[in-house]
Amino acid sequence: MKKHNFNAGPSILPQSTIENTAKAILDFNGSGLSLMEISHRAKDFQPIVDEAVALFKELLNIPEGYSVLFLGGGASLEFCMIPFNYLEKKAAYLNTGVWAKKAMKEAKGFGEVVEVASSAEANYTYIPKDFTVPADVDYFHITTNNTIYGTEIRKELDSPVLMIADMSSDIFSRPIDISKYALIYGGAQKNLAPAGLTFVIVKNDSLGKVSRYIPTMLNYQTHVDNGSMFNTPPVVPIFAALETLRWMKAQGGVKEMERRALEKAALLYNEIDRNKLFVGTANKEDRSVMNICFVMKEEFKELEADFLKFATEKGMIGIKGHRSVGGFRASCYNAMPKESVQALIACMQDFEKLH
Ligand SMILES: *Cc1c(COP(=O)(O)O)cnc(C)c1O
């Protein structure tokens, strides 16, 4: 039976990424060695990093003066690297969910943290709109897509200070005006590569503004100066990321990824709104196109476990909602074909007919 992979992360990747990485793991470039066995300094590997950086810049239209870094540690290490590198006295954070809160927690170890707004009181079902970013903070941090709650900031915000964004789960799902940001980061395991890789897009002249000592490995400047090769970078995930970047380019780039994402999300949200059993959890105008969260209506609550079993038997994988929201979450990243979304919709309709 065909499996439809709705996992939130690590998650679905293009078939070409998986096949070409598997081939390189068996034999890298006809060298007789595995991708896992070669040095990151091997002359054959540098072109992989260079092409991945170049494609990142091309696909996202990254202006001059920015560096693309491939690091380890996950988005979670960035939660502390950001204040280490940018927080001299005070920073502003928009609290839109668990990941934003974790980022804030780390920043508090370095200085004062201003929470400009929060939707915690409504279990993060919406994106706060009416807030002001103080002009005297070192930076303003946002999480553009809240993977757990299924809310998303898709319209670029304005900020009077350096803006920093966690884009772990919506990078490459829409064109971004990079010039609005000092730094964009994320774990690669949602829309790009297997786990083990963190991407960072950093504006070079935003660095070097804090007075504290920054440990070498936690200093962005180290990685800018060494082209992500200060120490051994995650070789296999970087190769896989390059394959995904090539796939996105061949499919028509980020505009096409966005078109598909909007189409898939509209199909599924329409069904959620139409079906008598289900209801979406996120505020309609803040709905994420990547992570689609829904639950059973109050009067059908007791059917949740049945639907999960029903859908799983039909090949739906990873649709159980995060424990802090409950119900269901269908993550529809770039590599997810429309057919998988249609298969989930068919499941929802078949289940509705039974009840
Ligand atoms: C998954 C996720 C993280 C955590 O990423 P790790 O790479 O596991 O540290 C952080 N932020 C967001 C928005 C995420 O979706």
Side-chain angles (χ1 to χ4, degrees):
M1 180 183 47
K2 171 148 180 58
K3 303 280 188 193
H4 302 281
N5 184 358
F6 290 95
N7 278 328
S11 38
I12 188 167
L13 288 170
Q15 195 57 28
S16 61
T17 296
I18 296 166
E19 281 172 11
N20 294 338
T21 306
K23 278 185 203 142
I25 284 175
L26 292 174
D27 182 4
F28 177 62
N29 270 357
S31 63
L33 296 177
S34 167
L35 176 63
M36 299 191 294
E37 298 177 309
I38 58 161
S39 163
H40 58 296
R41 314 256 177 226
K43 69 170 187 343
D44 286 11
F45 191 69
Q46 187 63 49
I48 304 288
V49 177
D50 294 344
E51 189 185 340
V53 168
L55 276 178
F56 235 91
K57 290 186 172 173
E58 182 185 330
L59 287 166
L60 291 175
N61 210 0
I62 300 177
E64 286 292 303
Y66 284 79
S67 298
V68 174
L69 310 177
F70 296 124
L71 311 176
S76 300
L77 185 60
E78 301 307 306
F79 296 164
C80 105
M81 275 176 79
I82 287 157
F84 230 132
N85 283 263
Y86 286 98
L87 207 171
E88 184 74 16
K89 284 203 178 68
K90 218 171 16 167
Y93 280 71
L94 181 61
N95 182 4
T96 53
V98 162
W99 297 117
K101 239 175 102 171
K102 288 189 175 177
M104 282 170 69
K105 174 174 182 284
E106 294 308 304
K108 283 175 187 159
F110 295 87
E112 190 187 329
V113 170
V114 182
E115 182 184 82
V116 295
S118 164
S119 49
E121 89 290 347
N123 198 30
Y124 299 115
T125 45
Y126 70 98
I127 303 284
K129 307 283 180 330
D130 294 320
F131 57 83
T132 339
V133 180
D136 65 340
V137 295
D138 298 314
Y139 63 86
F140 172 45
H141 179 283
I142 58 173
T143 312
T144 51
N145 186 60
N146 299 284
T147 324
I148 293 174
Y149 306 91
T151 63
E152 187 174 14
I153 303 170
R154 285 191 77 76
K155 219 173 126 265
E156 233 84 68
L157 299 181
D158 287 310
S159 163
V161 295
L162 298 183
M163 188 153 62
I164 295 183
D166 177 353
M167 295 199 186
S168 291
S169 50
D170 66 346
I171 189 85
F172 294 114
S173 74
R174 65 184 160 95
I176 313 163
D177 181 357
I178 304 281
S179 69
K180 289 201 160 204
Y181 299 88
L183 187 140
I184 293 169
Y185 68 98
Q189 69 273 20
K190 313 244 161 83
N191 229 351
L192 194 61
L197 178 66
T198 315
F199 65 84
V200 175
I201 303 166
V202 58
K203 190 170 194 220
N204 299 328
D205 69 10
S206 70
L207 295 171
K209 304 262 168 64
V210 290
S211 53
R212 72 173 62 83
Y213 167 75
I214 307 171
T216 311
M217 272 298 285
L218 301 183
N219 192 333
Y220 288 117
Q221 196 64 53
T222 302
H223 304 291
V224 170
D225 293 344
N226 292 279
S228 302
M229 294 286 222
F230 174 74
N231 71 324
T232 318
V235 169
V236 175
I238 289 175
F239 182 92
L242 171 59
E243 285 298 330
T244 305
L245 293 162
R246 284 175 173 166
W247 174 83
M248 284 192 278
K249 182 173 172 177
Q251 300 294 306
V254 170
K255 266 245 153 275
E256 175 62 13
M257 294 298 113
E258 179 182 49
R259 189 195 66 74
R260 293 181 191 180
L262 292 172
E263 185 185 22
K264 286 179 282 182
L267 283 173
L268 189 46
Y269 281 123
N270 282 342
E271 177 58 21
I272 291 166
D273 294 341
R274 185 211 61 78
N275 196 302
K276 70 169 191 219
L277 304 176
F278 301 99
V279 58
T281 54
N283 189 25
K284 278 193 183 168
E285 64 176 25
D286 301 322
R287 282 173 161 179
S288 167
V289 302
M290 294 277 103
N291 309 97
I292 297 176
C293 297
F294 53 105
V295 294
M296 242 131 198
K297 284 183 188 152
E298 243 1 281
E299 61 268 38
F300 299 108
K301 249 329 180 226
E302 77 285 359
L303 292 176
E304 260 177 12
D306 289 352
F307 178 69
L308 190 61
K309 188 160 169 283
F310 182 83
T312 306
E313 281 167 7
K314 292 192 151 50
M316 307 300 135
I317 306 290
I319 60 160
K320 192 172 169 30
H322 188 277
R323 64 185 177 283
S324 45
V325 178
F328 313 99
R329 170 175 54 176
S331 297
C332 302
Y333 296 119
N334 288 344
M336 161 138 308
K338 187 163 92 179
E339 292 68 35
S340 288
V341 174
Q342 287 165 332
L344 175 58
I345 291 170
C347 257
M348 294 163 76
Q349 294 176 345
D350 290 347
F351 195 74
E352 182 188 32
K353 288 189 198 112
L354 295 174
H355 298 279

